[in-house]
Structures are given as structure tokens and as C-alpha cells.
Amino acid sequence: MPCHESLAVPPPEGFVRVRMTVAYDGTPFHGFARNPGVATVQSELEDTLAQVLRHPVTVTGAGRTDAGVHARGQVVSFDADESHFEPSALSRAVNRMLGPTIAVDNVETAPPTFDARFSCTGRSYRYHIFNSPVVDPLTRHFTWHVRDRLDIGAMQHASGAIVGTHDFTSFSKRNKSRPQQTFVRTVREAQWRKSADDVTFEITASAFTHQMVRSLVGMCVEIGRHRRRVEDMGVVLRALSRGAAPSPAPGRGLVLWRAHYD
Amino acid sequence: MPCHESLAVPPPEGFVRVRMTVAYDGTPFHGFARNPGVATVQSELEDTLAQVLRHPVTVTGAGRTDAGVHARGQVVSFDADESHFEPSALSRAVNRMLGPTIAVDNVETAPPTFDARFSCTGRSYRYHIFNSPVVDPLTRHFTWHVRDRLDIGAMQHASGAIVGTHDFTSFSKRNKSRPQQTFVRTVREAQWRKSADDVTFEITASAFTHQMVRSLVGMCVEIGRHRRRVEDMGVVLRALSRGAAPSPAPGRGLVLWRAHYD
């Protein structure tokens, strides 16, 4: 969407635009976006960067992950005072202060109009399911435990219906303060894989609506349990009604895997 | 070792020998073995089984994992009153009571002389390293984070020296209450694998001495960092002295993967 690019505001005089990759365990956070009174990834990052850089920092992220959702390849951008900015020193200082739930990497100077959100041309998410009668104590914070044996073939077949450009109203949580928002998105790839009891969904799209991946996973799992038919994916998609879709899958199985830039 | 088999005592009249697989997140436990005043896997299992079966239970495990060490395929044996024992009901009740850090599976009646420890003909462990300049928040409880880029080829080459029957005194923690113990063990396989930043060591042996896997991993990592030479593995092994080996790797990277029975 080139119109977004033109909105990007360059940094003020004496400042540089910085790009940084961020990984986090979402378990202790109330999502990415700053939210007064609760711990979020954005507020942890902004507070820590402000201490290191000695000026207020506002961070923009490629994806606004929900409570409990994790990231391996979240990308953020912010402006830093040139006189205090040295990539590897910043990386070391921030990682030392943040502790083990958040880690930053690949800190680098970006072009002045780079914006982690609006320059982003695609996002890849992964959703992890542990599909076994018994819970896996080792992966429980990062997987959805589904006891019923899933029919992965049916789930993959159903996922074909969501590839391409569609109105994902049925699989989106509406934001009441934004009545004009659109739910049209372009899904480039949607792939289910299985290795022993580990089932993984990999999905890449231009962008995602709120709770879109979790809602699609919830629908696929109902199909994998044979509670809904493969054809129901298209039926629910065309219904343009959130009431037509089953509950979203839990946040803990979801990881923002990679943000794509041209 | 057939002499061990003959030591196996059958269950008393009216009881059956039960075999069960156990997985656990070792993070909150002070190891497997019962230890007064601290939470251990054995005490959690015995207390829970006693409540379900309504009689005292003593559990024997294939491997006595240390504090912080995890398991996917630990096998335990115990005796159960026949009149209260039904495998799937026991499995459901125990999993409901234990919560998410321990999970049991494959509960079944075993031959009367089966003993999870003495009938076990081999153990496989896996050790996970995250090899990157930056910590991975998502796997930090289950990996050792090594920043220096490891030479996996050198580590694999060095591991050849430990395959076969050797005296592993240099890689063992001595138990002062057992001065006559032997450290001779037979390693059947020792394999390093790398996939992106994930480095895994898979080792199978007849049995392991105390801290043997962690000590071997500690040595291999020193070789992978080029702080020790490939040939030093054999030198340290033949030294028959724990002082010749580097510090053991941390427990959190280790998983008792599988117990083998004929």
C-alpha cells in the first residue's frame, strides 16, 4: 500500500531512525501495545530504550500481538539521538536490562522513512498445537493442547479456501472505536504440518485483522475434529459474520514469526 | 546385566506391577528422587498415586534426573492394589491431580518382575543448546544459551572418543556414600545435530553415571569454542580425574528422552 509509505515521517534533526528485531515470551505480558497499568512489550521496550538513550522513545511494531502471544521476529522502529546511538552497545545494554523474557537483535540504522508497521509488506505467524491425549509439560506455555486426534489432511484442504484476497469479517474481532475499518486481507500462504504429535500452522499475509490467525486456527481445528466439514471454511468466510465461526484458539500457541520488508 | 533381573521382587498378593511413562518440566523440581522438605517428581507421583489408589506407593524410575532436568520418556514402576487398578481411569485421575508440570501416559500392567530401573537396558538423553549471540525467550527454560559460535564438526569428532565401553570417572560426580561405585559405562551413540541456531546432542548408553551427560556436554562445548582440542576428549577420559574436565553444562538443557526395555 504505497499511500502508507508517503505518511512516514522522517526523524527530527540530530536523530536517526533505528530498526530492531525483537523476540519475546508473551506469557507475562498483556500483549504488545502500551496499555496503562499493565506490563506490555511496548512499554518494557520504550522504558528501557529511554534509559539507555536518555530521551523519551516511541516504538512502532510490525504486529500488535495480543496477550500471551509470542514473537521470534517482531520488528520495531524508533528514533534515537545520533550522539548516543551505537548499534552493538545499544543491543548489549538493552538485553542486559530487559532480562530473559524479551531479547533484541539486529539493531541497525534504517532509512529516514522506514516505519516497522507501514513499511512492512507481509507478516508470517506460526501456531503450535500439541496433539496428544496427554499434555506435554515441556511445551505447555507455547502450544495449544488438543486431545482429539486431528485430521491434518482435512485442515490443509480447508485452508485452501482462505488463500487469496478475502473479506475476513467472520474471522476478525471488531474494534468498536473504528466502525469504518476493513477486514479485507490477502493471505499468501497457509500450511499445516505435522511431525509426531507436533502440529504447526504457518500463515503469511499482507497484514492480519485482530484475532484473525487464532480464529482461523479455531475453525481448522473444528474441521480436524470432524465437527465441521471442509466446505464449511468457505461457508463461514462468505457469511461475513463472526457469529458463524467457532471460538478463536488460545493466544499461547501463536508466534509472530517474521515481518517482511522489500 | 542379568544378575539385576533376578533381584526383582514380584508384587505382594493382590497387587499388580504397573509400568507408566512420565513427562515433566523439571524447572520447579529438586530432581526426580524423593528428598525430604523439597518438591521432587518422585514425591509428587507417589503422593498422587497414593491418593488415587488409597494405599502407600513407592515408585522406581528408569533415570534419577537432577534438579532442573526434564523428561519426555521417563518410565516408572510401582505396585497397585488390583481391586482399585484400572489403567485409563488411573491415568485420567493422576493427570487431573498433577497439573501441567507432570504428565503420565501409557499406564499398563507389567510382568511381576518388571522394574523400571533394573529392567531398563538403555537410556537416551537429549541436550539442547541455543547457539546465538542473543537469548531465545521462548526456549530459555529448556536450553543452554551459548553465545560463542560452536564448531559442531569438532564436537561431533570429539564425541567419537566416548562411544564404546569406558571408565567415565572424569565425567562423573562421585557419591561419597558409595566409595566402591564403578564409573564404567557403555555409550552406544553420541550425535550432535544443528538446525539454524538449535544445537542438539543425542546420547544413548546402557546407563549413565551422575552428571555424566552434562559433563560430556560441557567438554564438547569447550571443544566447539576451540578452547580445548578435539583430542582432549580422549586425554580427559583417560585421566580418570574429574578435575581434568570442565564444568558440567546446566541442567535445564537436559531431557531424559527415552528408556529402553527388551
Side-chain angles (χ1 to χ4, degrees), chain A residues 170-185:
Chain A
S170 298
F171 299 104
S172 305
K173 187 174 176 184
R174 199 171 281 277
N175 183 337
K176 284 179 184 129
S177 65
R178 295 177 56 209
Q180 301 299 318
Q181 68 189 136
T182 170
F183 300 100
V184 175
R185 298 290 188 277

Side-chain angles (χ1 to χ4, degrees), chain A residues 24-32 41 64-72 125-127 141-142 211 214 249-257, chain B residues 138:
Chain A
Y24 45 86
D25 170 1
T27 315
F29 297 109
H30 291 257
F32 179 82
V41 177
R64 290 160 61 93
T65 54
D66 268 349
V69 174
H70 319 285
R72 264 188 189 273
Y125 279 86
R126 289 199 187 174
Y127 195 96
H141 293 306
F142 305 99
Q211 291 194 353
R214 290 167 51 195
R252 65 176 174 280
L254 187 59
V255 185
L256 171 49
W257 201 258
Chain B
L138 278 76

Side-chain angles (χ1 to χ4, degrees), chain B residues 53-240:
Chain B
L53 293 166
R54 300 181 216 164
H55 61 71
V57 174
T58 302
V59 149
T60 303
R64 292 160 60 95
T65 54
D66 268 349
V69 174
H70 319 286
R72 264 186 188 274
Q74 170 77 286
V75 171
V76 300
S77 57
F78 57 92
D79 292 337
D81 181 339
E82 271 182 304
S83 60
H84 286 103
F85 177 65
E86 198 283 300
S88 61
L90 181 82
S91 177
R92 275 196 307 276
V94 168
N95 279 326
R96 208 164 35 229
M97 292 169 72
L98 282 170
T101 50
I102 309 182
V104 308
D105 200 5
N106 304 319
V107 179
E108 58 185 43
T109 307
T113 56
F114 177 80
D115 181 292
R117 182 173 175 199
F118 293 116
S119 305
C120 183
T121 56
R123 284 92 175 159
S124 295
Y125 279 86
R126 289 199 185 174
Y127 196 97
H128 296 282
I129 292 171
F130 186 68
N131 188 25
S132 163
V134 180
V135 69
D136 177 14
L138 278 76
T139 60
R140 68 189 192 283
H141 293 306
F142 305 99
T143 57
W144 180 21
H145 176 218
V146 176
R147 288 170 207 274
D148 305 322
R149 182 56 60 187
L150 294 174
D151 179 347
I152 307 297
M155 292 159 75
Q156 182 58 43
H157 193 180
S159 299
I162 58 167
V163 175
T165 302
H166 303 281
D167 183 330
F168 286 95
T169 295
S170 297
F171 299 105
S172 305
K173 187 173 175 184
R174 198 171 283 274
N175 183 337
K176 284 179 184 131
S177 64
R178 295 176 56 210
Q180 300 300 318
Q181 67 188 136
T182 167
F183 299 100
V184 175
R185 297 290 186 279
T186 302
V187 172
R188 294 183 199 144
E189 203 208 338
Q191 185 75 45
W192 284 96
R193 294 179 205 282
K194 185 171 164 65
S195 164
D197 295 333
D198 300 312
V199 174
T200 305
F201 184 50
E202 298 181 24
I203 183 166
T204 298
S206 53
F208 290 89
T209 64
H210 193 196
Q211 292 194 353
M212 180 171 151
V213 184
R214 291 166 52 196
S215 297
L216 290 169
V217 169
M219 181 72 197
C220 287
V221 165
E222 287 297 278
I223 292 166
R225 281 169 164 151
H226 296 154
R227 290 186 192 162
R228 301 235 188 175
R229 298 164 307 145
V230 168
E231 311 82 73
D232 287 344
M233 179 63 94
V235 173
V236 171
L237 187 66
R238 289 186 295 274
L240 300 181

Side-chain angles (χ1 to χ4, degrees), chain A residues 19-22 32 59-63 73-77 114-117 256 258-261:
Chain A
R19 170 183 169 161
M20 181 166 91
T21 305
V22 186
F32 179 82
V59 149
T60 302
Q74 170 78 286
V75 171
V76 301
S77 57
F114 177 81
D115 180 292
R117 183 175 174 198
L256 171 49
R258 201 156 97 81
H260 305 259
Y261 298 89

